[in-house]
Amino acid sequence: MPQHTRQSARDGSERAVPGAVAPRPLSAPQPGRRPDRRAVHWWLTQNLLVVVPVLAALAALALLPDAPAWLWLVFAVLCPLGVGYALLTPWYRYRVHRWEASTEAVCATSGWLTREWRVVPFTRIQTLDTERGPLMQLFGLSAVTVTTASAAGPVTIVGLDKDLATALVQDLTERVRALHEDGT
């Protein structure tokens, strides 16, 4: 049975082109793999390292002899907001962040208010990097960054076990190298 694809005419209408081959859709992986569970503790520690000093500085300012009384009101409002942010957002991030590597592409989802789903075909990968900051090392975690020439920037998968991240980068490097050796 002949295949037909649709082409847009200049007037905006579409017409079928007999014999033309429809483009094969990329089998984009459905991101189903979560970050390592230790990522929750890593994100929590990051949040506390920001929130606690800010609240402590605000409380210290409010305790000064000539401090305005409204500083206590600001502290009373920011304290539950900051603590709530520090304690709840790591679990939200863990629930939202996903990643997957299929035989043709790497896929990652992330986001706070708006969720972003990025798919990087192996043919577009330029560099693969791993990152392990001091806190990540403390929790045995790594991040993998997949860089392309896209204007949207790199895709970063955070909160991976360090051994899994190393194996992922090695596997992706071999797959990309095999594609380029094929001449494609």
Side-chain angles (χ1 to χ4, degrees):
M1 177 172 206
Q3 294 184 356
H4 299 283
T5 59
R6 297 212 163 284
Q7 278 188 342
S8 295
R10 288 186 184 183
D11 63 359
S13 64
E14 290 185 355
R15 61 184 174 89
V17 179
V21 177
R24 184 177 159 264
L26 179 67
S27 62
Q30 293 301 318
R33 298 184 72 173
R34 289 184 178 198
D36 192 280
R37 185 77 167 201
R38 292 172 288 175
V40 174
H41 304 292
W42 169 55
W43 288 318
L44 176 64
T45 304
Q46 283 182 316
N47 289 350
L48 290 175
L49 287 173
V50 172
V51 170
V52 170
V54 168
L55 292 177
L58 189 57
L61 285 173
L63 288 173
L64 290 175
D66 295 336
W70 57 265
L71 271 178
W72 282 111
L73 179 62
V74 171
F75 178 77
V77 169
L78 289 182
C79 192
L81 290 176
V83 170
Y85 168 82
L87 296 178
L88 297 177
T89 58
W91 292 104
Y92 181 74
R93 289 180 79 173
Y94 181 74
R95 190 176 148 273
V96 170
H97 284 67
R98 298 277 190 280
W99 70 278
E100 195 67 57
S102 74
T103 57
E104 296 179 5
V106 176
C107 177
T109 59
S110 61
W112 289 91
L113 296 176
T114 60
R115 293 192 185 165
E116 179 180 52
W117 180 34
R118 304 267 314 269
V119 178
V120 179
F122 290 155
T123 56
R124 301 290 186 210
I125 295 175
Q126 291 184 336
T127 61
L128 295 161
D129 301 305
T130 56
E131 177 189 347
R132 294 191 69 218
L135 278 178
M136 290 176 114
Q137 290 180 37
L138 180 68
F139 290 101
L141 299 172
S142 289
V144 172
T145 302
V146 180
T147 307
T148 67
S150 170
V155 173
T156 303
I157 305 168
V158 297
L160 299 178
D161 176 75
K162 65 179 176 133
D163 296 329
L164 176 62
T166 302
L168 178 64
V169 168
Q170 288 174 349
D171 181 50
L172 293 177
T173 300
E174 290 172 12
R175 291 185 198 190
V176 170
R177 186 178 296 131
L179 283 174
H180 292 296
E181 287 174 0
D182 286 346
T184 57

